[in-house]
């Protein structure tokens, strides 16, 4: 680990109110590393998770927000590797695996589904037994040598935001470098790439950034680095040889959205060349019903509900289909102007939208097929 002064200022703004430690990992190197980074934060034993949450609940009306400042270091006892739960009725899924080393996130995006999903488990939890994850992955990858595994760590957190506190990337990247049939995706809004730039090899690692126009970042992505900072971090990783992915997700409709997203596309290609970008995924804002009230209570100035939403086949609310079509077509065209060869796909969308925008399903497109059938 580099010393604290080398860490970008924005990453150091993160503060914790309490650290809870499960006794079984008290001496784990990652526990000790996290404690070293927060020498003045009160530390308690993680005796009963539910009791801890109840105690927090009594002191605040925003237990989810308070959970982000309460780190629990513990051990994960089950199987880490899961098929991406993005498979839902009527949706096209990109056939992807997830591992969750962290739950919850230091950032506070207004649209984050974790606000609903983690209501009863709001603490920022880090599973430090990364060695068990690597053993499990080794067994699975070795048992299926003819399959390619695309594995992401950013389902229930930001993959890199806490990487200077709990440097998972230092264990994951060398492991994936050695594999013949697996790719790691680190999905982030952070600029916390120092550990990535210090690695020997970028082989088999995709670092992907979620991007939005700066006006959306300011209003809806609280605590996150700005657009230009993210692009600069992406440029550094691209120059190191990492493959770069871009998520324009969630695309949010607000007055002037088209101009703002076109400018975003232009900004991307001022910093990255199309050949450095492995793919761009597009996804419009979507949410499960119960999330709406939570968002309105926690983010009073949000722009998320300025547009009309309807329930889709999977129960999530989305912009009306013609508007989604317009969003995807216009952004796909804007992206493809920079390179006709750019891989652009839509995340969590219906067959009708896929066919409407691209004229085909991903499996009939040779380039996109590799993302959907790895
Ligand atoms: S960065 Fe991702 S996980 Fe973190 S708050 Fe934002 S949407 Fe949620």
């Amino acid at each position: 680990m580099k010393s604290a002064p080398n860490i970008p200022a924005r990453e150091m703004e993160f503060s914790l109110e309490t650290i809870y430690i499960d006794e079984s990992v008290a001496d784990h190197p990652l526990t000790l590393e996290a404690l070293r980074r927060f020498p003045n934060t009160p530390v308690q034993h993680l005796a009963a998770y539910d009791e801890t949450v109840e105690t927090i609940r009594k002191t605040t009306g925003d237990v989810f927000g308070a959970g982000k400042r309460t780190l629990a270091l513990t051990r994960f006892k089950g199987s880490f590797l899961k098929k991406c739960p993005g498979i839902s009725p009527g949706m096209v899924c990109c056939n992807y695996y997830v591992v969750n080393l962290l739950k919850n996130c230091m950032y506070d995006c207004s649209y984050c589904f974790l606000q609903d999903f983690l209501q009863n488990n709001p603490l920022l939890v880090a599973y430090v037994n990364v060695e068990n994850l690597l053993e499990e992955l080794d067994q699975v990858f070795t048992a299926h040598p003819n399959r390619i595994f695309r594995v992401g760590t950013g389902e229930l957190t930001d993959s890199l935001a806490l990487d200077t506190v709990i440097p998972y990337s230092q264990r994951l990247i060398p492991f994936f470098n050695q594999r013949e049939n697996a790719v790691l995706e680190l999905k982030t809004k952070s600029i916390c790439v120092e550990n990535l730039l210090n690695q020997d090899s970028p082989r088999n690692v995709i670092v992907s950034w979620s991007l939005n126009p700066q006006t959306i970042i300011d209003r809806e992505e609280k605590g996150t680095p700005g657009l230009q900072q993210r692009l600069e971090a992406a440029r550094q990783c691209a120059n190191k040889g990492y493959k770069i992915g871009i998520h324009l997700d969630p695309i949010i409709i607000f007055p002037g959205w088209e101009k703002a997203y076109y400018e975003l596309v232009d900004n991307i290609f001022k910093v990255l060349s199309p050949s450095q970008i492995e793919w761009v995924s597009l996804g419009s804002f979507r949410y499960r019903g119960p999330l709406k009230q939570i968002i309105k209570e926690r983010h009073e100035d949000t722009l998320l509900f300025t547009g009309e939403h309807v329930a889709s086949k999977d129960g999530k609310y989305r912009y009306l289909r013609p508007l989604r079509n317009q969003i995807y077509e216009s952004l796909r065209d804007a992206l493809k102007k920079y390179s006709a060869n750019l891989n652009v796909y839509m995340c969590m969308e219906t067959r009708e939208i896929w066919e409407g925008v691209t004229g085909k399903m991903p499996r009939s497109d040779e380039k996109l097929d590799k993302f959907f059938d790895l």
Side-chain angles (χ1 to χ4, degrees), residues 64 68 104-115 154-159 161 187-190 210 220-222 224 250:
F64 181 77
K68 288 175 177 288
N104 210 337
C105 176
M106 63 185 261
Y107 302 141
D108 197 8
C109 303
S110 60
Y111 50 76
C112 182
F113 82 104
L114 298 178
Q115 296 169 101
E155 184 204 8
L156 300 181
T157 192
D158 181 292
S159 293
K187 182 179 174 188
T188 192
K189 293 186 175 89
S190 88
S210 299
E220 311 289 349
E221 299 181 348
K222 295 184 186 80
T224 64

Side-chain angles (χ1 to χ4, degrees), residues 180-345:
E180 295 305 323
N181 63 336
V183 174
L184 172 69
E185 183 191 348
L186 300 168
K187 182 179 174 188
T188 192
K189 293 186 175 89
S190 88
I191 51 173
C192 196
V193 294
E194 193 171 279
N195 290 332
L196 278 60
L197 300 179
N198 289 338
Q199 293 300 313
D200 290 337
S201 167
R203 184 170 182 260
N204 296 335
V205 180
I206 298 181
V207 196
S208 65
W209 268 268
S210 299
L211 302 178
N212 247 313
Q214 186 61 46
T215 180
I216 292 296
I217 292 174
D218 291 340
R219 196 183 278 238
E220 311 289 349
E221 299 181 348
K222 295 184 186 80
T224 64
L227 173 63
Q228 291 306 330
Q229 289 176 291
R230 291 183 210 176
L231 287 171
E232 173 56 21
R235 188 189 65 76
Q236 290 177 12
C237 285
N239 288 348
K240 174 81 183 177
Y242 287 100
K243 294 189 166 103
I244 303 297
I246 300 289
H247 299 274
L248 301 185
D249 188 5
I251 297 163
I252 293 164
I253 299 300
F254 61 98
W257 69 270
E258 272 179 302
K259 183 168 178 284
Y261 280 96
Y262 289 150
E263 283 173 6
L264 171 59
V265 170
D266 292 339
N267 273 325
I268 293 169
F269 292 105
K270 279 181 194 153
V271 178
L272 297 167
S273 73
S275 63
Q276 291 175 310
I277 299 174
E278 194 73 1
W279 39 255
V280 181
S281 81
L282 305 176
S284 58
F285 172 51
R286 55 206 174 270
Y287 62 95
R288 292 196 186 282
L291 184 60
K292 185 171 184 176
Q293 192 53 34
I294 298 172
I295 294 174
K296 286 188 158 180
E297 283 169 14
R298 295 198 66 245
H299 308 276
E300 287 174 357
D301 62 346
T302 183
L303 288 171
L304 292 177
F305 302 108
T306 49
E308 190 181 346
H309 303 96
V310 290
S312 300
K313 285 177 190 165
D314 63 349
K316 285 186 191 162
Y317 287 79
R318 290 175 166 79
Y319 297 119
L320 304 180
R321 198 201 294 174
L323 181 55
R324 276 150 57 214
N325 260 320
Q326 185 196 340
I327 293 169
Y328 298 136
E329 276 175 10
S330 56
L331 284 178
R332 194 167 178 269
D333 288 351
L335 289 159
K336 291 268 186 182
K337 273 188 197 135
Y338 283 91
S339 169
N341 293 326
L342 201 64
N343 297 309
V344 181
Y345 74 90

Side-chain angles (χ1 to χ4, degrees), residues 79-191:
S79 297
F80 278 98
L81 191 67
K82 291 190 302 173
K83 196 84 200 286
C84 174
I87 307 168
S88 38
M91 296 296 128
V92 175
C93 183
C94 48
N95 205 4
Y96 189 81
Y97 291 82
V98 292
V99 296
N100 294 316
L101 285 162
L102 282 159
K103 273 199 314 203
N104 210 337
C105 176
M106 63 185 261
Y107 302 141
D108 197 8
C109 303
S110 60
Y111 50 76
C112 182
F113 82 104
L114 298 178
Q115 296 169 101
D116 178 31
F117 188 75
L118 294 180
Q119 261 193 89
N120 297 320
N121 299 284
L123 303 192
L124 181 53
V125 176
Y127 300 108
V128 295
N129 53 325
V130 63
E131 59 283 351
N132 296 134
L133 164 68
L134 299 184
E135 275 165 31
E136 182 187 333
L137 294 182
D138 184 46
Q139 282 172 13
V140 175
F141 297 166
T142 306
H144 303 281
N146 298 323
R147 262 165 70 187
I148 305 256
F149 292 86
R150 186 174 160 226
V151 181
T153 59
E155 184 204 8
L156 300 181
T157 192
D158 181 292
S159 293
L160 291 175
L162 284 174
D163 204 57
T164 48
V165 177
I166 308 164
Y168 288 123
S169 69
Q170 290 184 333
R171 301 291 306 275
L172 293 172
I173 292 175
F175 173 86
F176 276 83
N177 287 160
Q178 303 299 323
R179 313 309 305 194
E180 295 305 323
N181 63 336
V183 174
L184 172 69
E185 183 191 348
L186 300 168
K187 182 179 174 188
T188 192
K189 293 186 175 89
S190 88
I191 51 173

